[in-house]
Amino acid sequence: MTTNWLGLPLLASATGQQIDSLIAWIHVFMFVLFIGWGTFFMYALIRFRASRNPVANYTGVKSHATNYLEAGVLVIEMVLLFAFSIPLWAARVDHVPSESEALVVQVTGEQFAWNVRYAGPDGKFGKTDIKLIDLQSNPLGVDRSDPDAKDDVTTLNQLYLPANRPIIVKLRSKDVIHSFNVPEMRVKQDAIPGLTIPIWFTPTVTTEEMRQRTGNPEFQYEIACAQLCGLGHYRMRAFVTVLSPEEFQKWLDAEEAKVKSLGSGVWGG
Ligand SMILES: [Cu+2]
């Protein structure tokens, strides 16, 4: 189904069309329900008007037809839920791509920022320690003395992603419930303290292409925090930059070099 009429933000992910179709179908079904119930309401208003029914009917309906109708509605709704809704949702959410083909990024929400962490060339996220947390220099408490942590790249409010490769975001929170929302990717997931929740999507449009498409040379994808998480909630936004795979690798290599030049001493290793 074409979904332009919904007025949603431009689409920039591979699976987003499914979400848009779902939203469109829900609108269509709700419109049908609206017409159906609206018609019934008008019918009831006219059919049971006071001038035609001056005395109330104290016995009411005696047949059991409505009981059967309600049972029928219940059965249909159970079929919709168990045969369609749950399997479709599971297909979209549960089948996370394998970590070998995807890029795994850890995103940690805090009041009021998004901390991003890449595993580096070894593909392993190093240890973190709550005692090493320093809001300025080491907001995630990365333990740089751990060999796996030596090449971990961290950024603040900047999520760089390659286009056309599945991205697995492992969402965490340091304090309260936040919500990771990138409207153009059609992803939204709560970040809950104590849990690591994976969410995945495949960006298909680079930031540069999107700037051309929108005619806005300053266009940026944004992560908006979609849960009211405190007084600074309004400013809890971060930017997503989608690059071509080559540009992304270049960016990651440069960040890598920065981490190396800082050395473990600076990071309290
Ligand atoms: Cu938040």
Side-chain angles (χ1 to χ4, degrees), residues 31 33 43 64 71 110 118 155 162 178 245:
F31 184 70
L33 272 183
Y43 167 78
H64 290 288
E110 70 171 71
Y118 301 82
T155 65
H178 300 279

Side-chain angles (χ1 to χ4, degrees), residues 117 125-128 143-152 269:
R117 185 180 175 209
F125 290 99
K127 285 198 198 89
T128 54
D143 181 357
R144 296 284 171 181
S145 66
D146 175 20
D148 293 341
K150 283 209 158 41
D151 60 351
D152 287 11

Side-chain angles (χ1 to χ4, degrees), residues 110-114 176-179 225-230 233 236:
E110 70 171 71
Q111 289 173 318
F112 299 95
W114 295 100
V176 300
I177 298 176
H178 300 279
S179 185
C225 181
Q227 282 285 8
L228 186 53
C229 58
H233 167 70
M236 187 166 168

Side-chain angles (χ1 to χ4, degrees), residues 167-258:
I167 310 295
I168 301 173
V169 171
K170 297 210 166 166
L171 263 185
R172 313 189 311 162
S173 170
K174 278 165 71 173
D175 35 44
V176 300
I177 298 176
H178 300 279
S179 185
F180 176 89
N181 177 25
V182 187
E184 290 86 357
M185 307 295 167
R186 306 291 192 264
V187 291
K188 185 186 275 178
Q189 169 65 52
D190 278 7
I192 296 168
L195 294 180
T196 298
I197 302 175
I199 182 169
W200 73 273
F201 55 96
T202 307
T204 49
V205 187
T206 63
T207 298
E208 207 41 61
E209 282 170 54
M210 206 47 136
R211 283 178 180 170
Q212 284 165 14
R213 249 184 235 189
T214 56
N216 173 7
E218 263 135 52
F219 174 87
Q220 287 271 30
Y221 294 113
E222 280 181 26
I223 306 174
C225 181
Q227 282 285 8
L228 186 53
C229 58
L231 284 176
H233 167 70
Y234 69 93
R235 64 180 152 89
M236 187 166 168
R237 67 170 191 174
F239 298 103
V240 184
T241 307
V242 180
L243 301 167
S244 69
E246 302 76 39
E247 283 172 318
F248 173 77
Q249 197 52 49
K250 238 191 251 167
W251 172 82
L252 195 58
D253 291 344
E255 289 297 305
E256 209 65 59
K258 269 192 232 168

Side-chain angles (χ1 to χ4, degrees), residues 71-91:
V73 169
L74 183 71
V75 169
I76 292 170
E77 288 188 349
M78 299 280 258
V79 170
L80 283 178
L81 185 64
F82 292 105
F84 293 94
S85 174
I86 293 175
L88 278 172
W89 185 241

